[in-house]
Each structure stands twice: as structure tokens, then as C-alpha cells.
Amino acid sequence: MSNYKIETKCIQSGYEPQNGEPRVLPIYQSTTFKYSTSDQMGRLFDLEDSGYFYTRLQNPTNDAVAAKICDLEGGVAAMLTSSGQAANFYAIMNIAEKGDHIVCASALYGGTYNLFAHTIKKMGVDATFVDPDCSEEELNAVFQENTKAVFGESIANPALVVLDFEKFAEAAHAHGVPFIVDNTFATPINCRPFEWGVDIITHSTTKYMDGHATCVGGAIVDSGNFDWEAHAEKFPGLTTPDETYHGIIYTQKFGKGAYITKATSQLMRDLGSIQSPQNAFLLNLGLETLHLRMPRHCENALTVAKYLQSHEKVAWVNYPGLEGDKYYDLAQKYMPNGTCGVLTFGLKGGRDASVKMMDSLKMVAIVTHVADARSCVLHPASHTHRQMNEQELIEAGVQPDLIRFSVGLENAEDIIADVRQALEQV
């Protein structure tokens, strides 16, 4: 981890060109890498040497960008994936298998909820969802002997619940399991989960990290703080011999790099889901301005939230950076410099009014996306969370009239003018 300030890390971390090498990170657009002898290649396959031989496992462009994200979060090792969904899937399945169990905060992105509630259940891994505002006693009560991880989002999409890191970290560690947090909305600019007891961080780099809606991607970062050997019986995949690599034991051979090495050499090897070098290159360009964009997103979002809060047709507004919001105090504790550019609100006319208002917007677009330079809206109950029933929607914090508003980098007056004319149509 470098000693640079985070603004400098956004630009300088990950890639250090030597004399005569490109100043800008190159795109290594190659599936394969050449070696002179069979033994050299064989040592790579045995994990005896580090290097590049096939892009599904490692690529210089991807590794440089992963290293930058790792440095931004303050971790020890990281990897890129093809999407945020892939990152969350790998983060869990790297330590869980058939017959295991995980604990999740119920306020999650709809796709993540579906992944944990249904898809991995078919693979034999059960999930128990708990209200993120539950008491310590209620949280501890849902752990089982076969629990392998605790999962939550730093700022839930779209419920905008701010997770109480310390409460969940304490419970996870008391039961000998790692605490995994998706830090997509807050980004490492506004939130430092590892400093509050989180062990592993995931990202949908598709969102603010890319920042321009150009490429889908994900990332996993390991803090290196969780002691897998201290709970060896819970995590045999890391602490017992892997016969697919001649019996190596990841924790013994790779130390603090064990978790990411296993995820790369096992899961990426067998399942793919790699991020393309071209996408990693574009992601790196986005990361270089992340520290500049996030404060503007937050500033614009707060301005829009205050406007909506004062409008007679608006029934409610949720934004953790808004004084008086339910999660304002937690946001001040964990994200004192700002939360994100996403807010939610509903209209007094209910679901039909919300849809009418969205359809009347001119500059702000209706898109299945969030967290980029352009302002956009979505109706989660009809779109991202459409697969959920009414009870699941309530548990995820998604009201029927909820509009998710991703406030972009345009002039705030122009954004509000578009919202104003749309509200006049309701």
C-alpha cells in the first residue's frame, strides 16, 4: 500500500512505468503469453512462479487496475471480475460450499438478493436475511454452526440504508467468520470499510469507479486481516491441501494473499467471468477522476434532495446526507465527507404518479443503470427488483412508489429545472 493521499492514489497507484515504457497503462489485448521452455510454463500452472500465461487467470492491464483499487481501499490483494454480480458470487463461493450458510443484511440490490436467496441456494448454500437495523441480539441469533460469512452493502441500493459496520463486524468475528461489504455506492473516496472491521470488500466497478457507463466490471479486495488459520475447520478450502494444485495449502503458501489467490486460481480458472483488458483500461481512466467526481455527485444530490423535500407533490425523500434522514447519524460516523449521488423519493399520488413523473422527464433519462456522470432515474419495483414479491420488496426497503434518482454531474439548476417541469405534469 502506498503512502500517497487518496487523490494521488487514484492517478498514480497500480502502474509504475520504467524507463522507455508507456506513460499510460497499456492495454494488453492478448489471450496468451509466450515462454521459452515447457518447464517455465509448467511452474506457472503449479503456482510455483508468478507471471502471465492466459488472460482468464491474469493479465497485466487487469492486475494494474486491481492493484490501484486495492491501494484505494487499503487492502493487501485484489482481483477484477466481469461484473459486480460476479464479484459478489466469487466472494461468497470462495469460502462457502454445499451445506453452508451465510448471513446477509436484507437491504440489498435486487440482483444480489436474487443471487443469494435463489441462485446459490440451488448450489446448496442457504442465506438468512436480517433487518440491517436489527439489535445485536437479533443479529447474533441468526448465526448457525455452518455460517461462513456475513454480507451487506455500505449504502444499500436502492434503500439507501447505511450499514452499521461495527455492529455487523463484531457479530461476524464473534462467530469466527469474515464480514464482506459491497462498497459500490460510497466508493473508497467516501467510505473506508476496512477501518471499521470489514474483512473483504466488493465493488460493481460499473458504477462510480467507471463513472461514464461505458464498461461492466467488478472487483474483490481482501484486507488481509481475517485469520483463516484461526478458524481452519470452517474454511478447509483455504487451510487444507488443494489436490488440483498438487496439494498446496493456500494459507501456508500465500499468507495474506491466500483468499485472492484461491479465488483466481480456482474460481476464475473454472468459471471464467474475467474482465476484458479493454474494459479494465477504461475503468482505470474513470478511477483517475473518481476523487473529483464523488464530491460533485454528493453536492448535486444534496441540492436536489432539499428541493424535492420542499415540493408539495413529494411525499418523502431518502438521502443519508440530508439532515434529519434516518441514517444521517450513521452516515456522519462512517462517511463524514459525503455518501453518494443517489437519492430516492416518492410522490403523494403513489406509484402511478411516480411513473407519470418519470415519463415526463426530458434531460434525466430512464435507464437500468445508476452512478455515472449523467442523471438518470429508475422505478425499482418495476425494474431492478421486479422479481421480488411484495414482502421481499418491503424487506429490501423498496416501496411501490420509490423512484431511484442517480444525480449526475450536470449543473444542479438544470437538473432541478427538468424535475420541476416533470412534476408539473403530475
Side-chain angles (χ1 to χ4, degrees):
M1 183 171 62
S2 71
N3 293 320
Y4 293 131
K5 302 296 184 183
I6 198 162
E7 297 87 350
T8 306
K9 289 181 180 183
C10 283
I11 298 168
Q12 295 288 349
S13 290
Y15 174 62
E16 298 181 12
Q18 303 303 308
N19 288 339
E21 292 184 344
R23 182 68 182 88
V24 175
L25 175 67
I27 305 171
Y28 287 86
Q29 196 65 50
S30 179
T31 61
T32 50
F33 300 84
K34 175 186 175 296
Y35 287 87
S36 300
T37 70
S38 176
D39 180 64
Q40 288 174 325
M41 183 72 78
R43 291 182 64 81
L44 293 171
F45 273 95
D46 285 345
L47 305 183
E48 292 297 330
D49 287 342
S50 61
Y52 303 100
F53 57 98
Y54 197 59
T55 282
R56 186 174 80 246
L57 293 173
Q58 285 185 290
N59 176 283
T61 306
N62 291 29
D63 282 1
V65 180
K68 175 176 286 189
I69 294 172
C70 185
D71 202 13
L72 288 172
E73 288 288 13
V76 298
M79 65 187 292
L80 298 186
T81 61
S82 60
S83 68
Q85 283 290 86
N88 287 337
F89 176 66
Y90 280 16
I92 293 297
M93 298 309 290
N94 197 35
I95 51 177
E97 58 188 41
K98 184 178 180 180
D100 286 339
H101 170 260
I102 62 173
V103 173
C104 302
S106 60
L108 295 175
Y109 165 62
T112 305
Y113 181 92
N114 197 57
L115 171 67
F116 293 159
H118 303 292
T119 301
I120 68 170
K121 185 177 181 66
K122 297 175 184 176
M123 301 175 182
V125 178
D126 288 328
T128 297
F129 296 89
V130 295
D131 186 333
D133 298 328
C134 66
S135 66
E136 294 179 9
E137 292 75 18
E138 289 170 327
L139 178 56
N140 280 287
V142 301
F143 282 82
Q144 303 174 12
E145 285 295 319
N146 58 342
T147 300
K148 294 299 177 69
V150 176
F151 184 93
E153 295 176 356
S154 56
I155 304 176
N157 175 16
L160 301 181
V161 172
V162 175
L163 196 64
D164 189 341
F165 294 136
E166 289 187 312
K167 179 178 70 176
F168 277 79
E170 184 176 341
H173 298 156
H175 293 273
V177 300
F179 180 26
I180 304 173
V181 165
D182 183 329
N183 197 32
T184 295
F185 267 18
T187 81
I189 302 301
N190 287 341
C191 184
R192 316 292 300 163
F194 288 158
E195 297 175 7
W196 298 100
V198 173
D199 300 295
I200 296 162
I201 290 172
T202 64
H203 281 280
S204 171
T205 62
T206 316
K207 309 305 190 298
Y208 286 121
M209 284 188 166
D210 166 29
H212 301 85
T214 59
C215 50
V216 176
I220 309 173
V221 186
D222 183 11
S223 68
N225 294 331
F226 190 80
D227 189 347
W228 306 103
E229 287 282 356
H231 309 281
E233 73 288 349
K234 279 183 173 289
F235 306 103
L238 285 161
T239 60
T240 61
D242 179 359
E243 298 307 324
T244 68
Y245 284 109
H246 306 295
I248 66 168
I249 297 173
Y250 290 98
T251 50
Q252 293 181 10
K253 187 172 182 63
F254 299 105
K256 289 184 179 295
Y259 176 86
I260 293 295
T261 300
K262 178 178 179 294
T264 302
S265 58
Q266 275 190 1
L267 297 182
M268 194 65 82
R269 175 196 66 190
D270 294 342
L271 300 175
S273 302
I274 190 171
Q275 187 167 150
S276 75
Q278 177 74 50
N279 277 4
F281 173 83
L282 293 172
L283 168 58
N284 189 56
L285 294 181
L287 288 168
E288 290 180 353
T289 60
L290 182 64
H291 65 291
L292 298 173
R293 291 183 284 106
M294 288 308 295
R296 179 61 176 268
H297 277 295
C298 294
E299 177 187 343
N300 278 0
L302 182 58
T303 301
V304 173
K306 289 179 177 179
Y307 170 78
L308 289 169
Q309 191 179 46
S310 66
H311 200 285
E312 60 181 9
K313 294 183 180 180
V314 175
W316 57 270
V317 180
N318 285 337
Y319 183 60
L322 189 64
E323 196 166 353
D325 185 89
K326 180 180 179 180
Y327 296 101
Y328 179 80
D329 289 341
L330 276 179
Q332 290 299 299
K333 176 180 179 179
Y334 295 125
M335 308 162 199
N337 295 322
T339 53
C340 65
V342 181
L343 59 89
T344 59
F345 67 102
L347 302 184
K348 292 178 180 177
R351 181 170 184 159
D352 290 343
S354 294
V355 171
K356 173 65 175 176
M357 181 265 176
M358 289 174 54
D359 290 348
S360 300
L361 291 164
K362 296 179 179 179
M363 181 185 75
V364 179
I366 301 173
V367 299
T368 309
H369 191 51
V370 67
D372 71 67
R374 302 162 189 82
S375 291
C376 58
V377 293
L378 189 78
H379 186 243
S382 299
H383 304 143
T384 54
H385 292 62
R386 192 182 186 95
Q387 75 278 8
M388 291 185 177
N389 59 41
E390 290 299 321
Q391 182 59 37
E392 289 172 337
L393 285 171
I394 292 171
E395 291 175 358
V398 180
Q399 300 97 308
D401 63 339
L402 184 150
I403 296 173
R404 185 183 70 182
F405 193 166
S406 178
V407 183
L409 301 178
E410 304 93 346
N411 186 284
E413 292 181 7
D414 290 332
I415 299 171
I416 289 173
D418 193 26
V419 172
R420 181 185 299 114
Q421 67 81 25
L423 286 169
E424 290 173 356
Q425 309 307 312
V426 177

